[in-house]
């Protein structure tokens, strides 16, 4: 299993971090939709905070040319 993981990371190179970030963002959006449907205010606040944090990190990367 570790040889397969090593091949995947070697193949992706520096792309693994953005791919992982996008995957986590998709999971947060799905969980946010679930919280909205269930209408749990505290849950929605936490997911909104994570989403805003993700946007701030992305904006910082864009402004720095990365």
């Amino acid at each position: 299993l570790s040889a397969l993981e090593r091949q995947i990371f070697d193949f992706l190179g520096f792309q693994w971090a953005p791919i992982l970030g996008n995957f986590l963002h998709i999971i947060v959006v799905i969980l946010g939709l679930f919280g909205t449907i269930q209408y749990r205010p505290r849950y929605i606040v936490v997911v909104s905070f994570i989403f805003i944090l993700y946007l701030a990190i992305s904006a910082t990367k864009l402004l720095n040319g990365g």
Side-chain angles (χ1 to χ4, degrees), residues 50-63:
I50 292 171
F51 180 70
I52 291 169
L53 182 66
Y54 179 81
L55 285 177
I57 291 170
S58 296
T60 304
K61 287 181 182 179
L62 284 174
L63 292 175

Side-chain angles (χ1 to χ4, degrees), residues 10-53:
D10 286 344
F11 176 72
L12 293 174
F14 290 104
Q15 289 295 317
W16 68 271
I19 291 171
L20 183 62
N22 285 335
F23 175 74
L24 292 175
H25 181 245
I26 290 169
I27 296 298
V28 166
V29 168
I30 291 171
L31 291 175
L33 290 173
F34 174 76
T36 303
I37 291 169
Q38 296 294 319
Y39 190 66
R40 298 184 180 172
R42 191 177 343 155
Y43 189 79
I44 295 171
V45 168
V46 170
V47 172
S48 298
F49 175 75
I50 292 171
F51 180 70
I52 291 169
L53 182 66

